[in-house]
Amino acid sequence: MVRDVLLGRSTTELEDWAIAQGQNAFRGRQIYDWIYNKGVKSLTDITVLPKQWRVELDAQNFRVGRLRCIRRFVASDATTKLLLATDDGEIIETVGIPTNQRLTVCVSSQVGCPMACRFCATGKGGLQRSLATHEIVDQVLSVREAMDRRPSHIVFMGMGEPLLNSEMVLESIRCFNIDLGISQRRITVSTIGVPKTLPQLAELAIKKLGRAQFTLAVSLHAPNQRLREELIPTAHSYPYDALLSDCHHYLSMTGRRVSFEYILLKELNDRPEHAAELADRLGGFQSHINLIAYNPIEEQEFKRPALRRIEAFRRVLERRGVAVSLRVSRGLDQNAACGQLRRQHVAEVS
Ligand code: SF4
């Protein structure tokens, strides 16, 4: 953790930090309350702290560690997208997706992404760096503030591959769970699949969180290795069978079922025979598949299938005993696809 940033620290860590600063432990609890419950952005605004100490903390460059919201877009369905600037000038994207019952925040785990999936706007720009814990946690606080509503669910489906930043992702899950009161079961970590990282994630989650209760969603996007490699270049180093075997291993280590994601691309992976092949592959998994209709982006050859093709795909899976849900795209009118907003902003200012 960056030494001078307090966001992301637990109540005990803040108590210890206050004691190390020559204060009573309760000063740490006050800071905790103002950071997580009141959403304060600057230590100098925590008016319950002695003024002299606030001046000293500022002079020593201690800070809360909040990001700066530089742009906000609200779609007609109230989906709210924020562009947030980090201290070193990087721009990340986060999205708040509201329904009557829930507010889901789609968070980023990296600035950019090295996985280069062909259908993804984020993958086009490569990786700048991974995010620190406070930069991940801030996204949820920023959405809470922008939408004036408490987030109930979190999905790591924004920019980046979370399993390439497991330590910070798990630290932020601890923070969401304990400090912001969001149940682990309402948090989903979505991965495209990185060799050797699934067992590692399970081990680390048990160590850091006690139990891995969050949902792991593995993006398959194809029913076989050949097509998967066409869409996800990095898949060449992770054979389909090895990926599914690691999912079984993850299940046995955590007791949590893995769910799968499948983005439907017109005439590429959306045929009934693809659905049948996928169902055969997942036989015995008791799996749940989330179908996602592709969200078109500029400069891409891919298209979204018609609804009747999507429904036909879904029916094949269901007839073969696979539980399916269809994710409805939200906020299409504001460049909703992962990384689109950031790319547009960077193009405008450069
Ligand atoms: S889909 Fe996810 S893993 Fe693939 S390039 Fe985009 S952000 Fe990275």
Side-chain angles (χ1 to χ4, degrees):
M1 180 180 292
V2 182
R3 183 186 164 272
D4 55 1
V5 168
L6 303 187
L7 178 60
R9 299 194 194 194
S10 67
T11 181
T12 313
E13 286 170 334
L14 285 173
E15 283 174 352
D16 291 347
W17 172 82
I19 291 167
Q21 302 307 310
Q23 299 285 326
N24 192 299
F26 85 91
R27 292 294 182 201
R29 292 195 293 278
Q30 286 178 317
I31 291 175
Y32 178 91
D33 177 45
W34 280 65
I35 288 178
Y36 295 110
N37 298 325
K38 296 188 168 65
V40 74
K41 292 188 172 172
S42 165
L43 290 173
T44 52
D45 292 339
I46 305 181
T47 50
V48 290
L49 301 179
K51 191 160 184 211
Q52 181 55 30
W53 190 38
R54 282 185 270 154
V55 172
E56 284 167 21
L57 290 177
D58 197 41
Q60 291 168 58
N61 200 28
F62 282 111
R63 62 214 164 90
V64 174
R66 294 293 306 273
L67 305 183
R68 199 162 44 86
C69 182
I70 55 170
R71 277 174 94 167
R72 171 181 168 166
F73 302 83
V74 182
S76 53
D77 62 4
T79 296
T80 299
K81 289 147 222 166
L82 306 177
L83 283 186
L84 304 170
T86 64
D87 274 359
D88 59 352
E90 298 290 359
I91 307 289
I92 58 169
E93 200 175 304
T94 192
V95 187
I97 306 156
T99 64
N100 286 342
Q101 295 78 29
R102 55 170 74 177
L103 172 57
T104 301
V105 185
C106 178
V107 298
S108 297
S109 55
Q110 297 185 301
V111 185
C113 182
M115 302 305 280
C117 301
R118 284 182 52 214
F119 47 82
C120 171
T122 298
K124 289 189 151 302
L127 174 72
Q128 273 68 56
R129 67 171 173 84
S130 289
L131 292 176
T133 306
H134 70 279
E135 294 169 325
I136 299 173
V137 173
D138 176 275
Q139 298 172 53
V140 174
L141 294 179
S142 289
V143 168
R144 182 177 80 179
E145 183 181 291
M147 301 183 77
D148 195 20
R149 183 174 166 188
R150 286 178 76 84
S152 58
H153 293 70
I154 292 166
V155 290
F156 281 85
M157 291 183 184
M159 298 163 59
E161 166 49 64
L163 267 58
L164 292 175
N165 192 18
S166 298
E167 287 258 356
M168 302 303 150
V169 164
L170 290 170
E171 275 182 25
S172 57
I173 289 176
R174 185 216 60 76
C175 184
F176 294 144
N177 184 211
I178 306 294
D179 307 323
L180 296 179
I182 299 170
S183 157
Q184 262 201 63
R185 288 179 177 270
R186 294 178 166 199
I187 299 173
T188 299
V189 175
S190 173
T191 178
I192 204 80
V194 181
K196 298 189 171 66
T197 55
L198 285 179
Q200 240 177 34
L201 179 76
E203 240 170 64
L204 205 56
I206 292 164
K207 193 169 134 203
K208 279 184 180 289
L209 307 172
R211 288 178 75 192
Q213 294 277 287
F214 56 85
T215 298
L216 178 71
V218 174
S219 295
L220 295 176
H221 303 334
N224 56 55
Q225 180 68 11
R226 186 193 54 75
L227 192 48
R228 197 161 191 271
E229 280 184 34
E230 256 183 55
L231 302 173
I232 307 164
T234 53
H236 77 272
S237 61
Y238 203 2
Y240 214 118
D241 289 341
L243 171 62
L244 292 184
S245 156
D246 282 349
C247 291
H248 275 297
H249 192 187
Y250 182 89
L251 166 68
S252 67
M253 288 176 80
T254 62
R256 294 282 292 161
R257 265 195 301 178
V258 175
S259 73
F260 297 100
E261 310 268 318
Y262 193 103
I263 193 165
L264 285 159
L265 302 160
K266 186 178 174 184
E267 281 159 22
L268 252 177
N269 65 356
D270 66 338
R271 291 202 290 272
E273 51 271 34
H274 291 138
E277 192 181 355
L278 182 64
D280 287 348
R281 272 218 176 253
L282 298 180
F285 238 111
Q286 287 190 324
S287 44
H288 180 98
I289 298 190
N290 240 322
L291 297 178
I292 308 153
Y294 176 65
N295 210 359
I297 61 172
E298 285 169 21
E299 326 151 28
Q300 279 294 3
E301 70 267 38
F302 303 114
K303 292 196 168 55
R304 173 193 290 240
L307 192 58
R308 62 179 168 74
R309 272 180 88 90
I310 295 173
E311 287 299 345
F313 194 96
R314 175 188 193 145
R315 276 197 300 277
V316 173
L317 289 172
E318 282 174 343
R319 272 203 300 269
R320 289 171 178 250
V322 180
V324 189
S325 56
L326 175 63
R327 190 179 313 144
V328 182
S329 292
R330 302 286 306 271
L332 266 177
D333 48 342
Q334 290 288 351
N335 286 331
C338 165
Q340 256 173 292
L341 204 60
R342 173 178 175 271
R343 276 171 63 75
Q344 188 193 50
H345 174 80
V346 171
E348 280 170 18
V349 297
S350 55

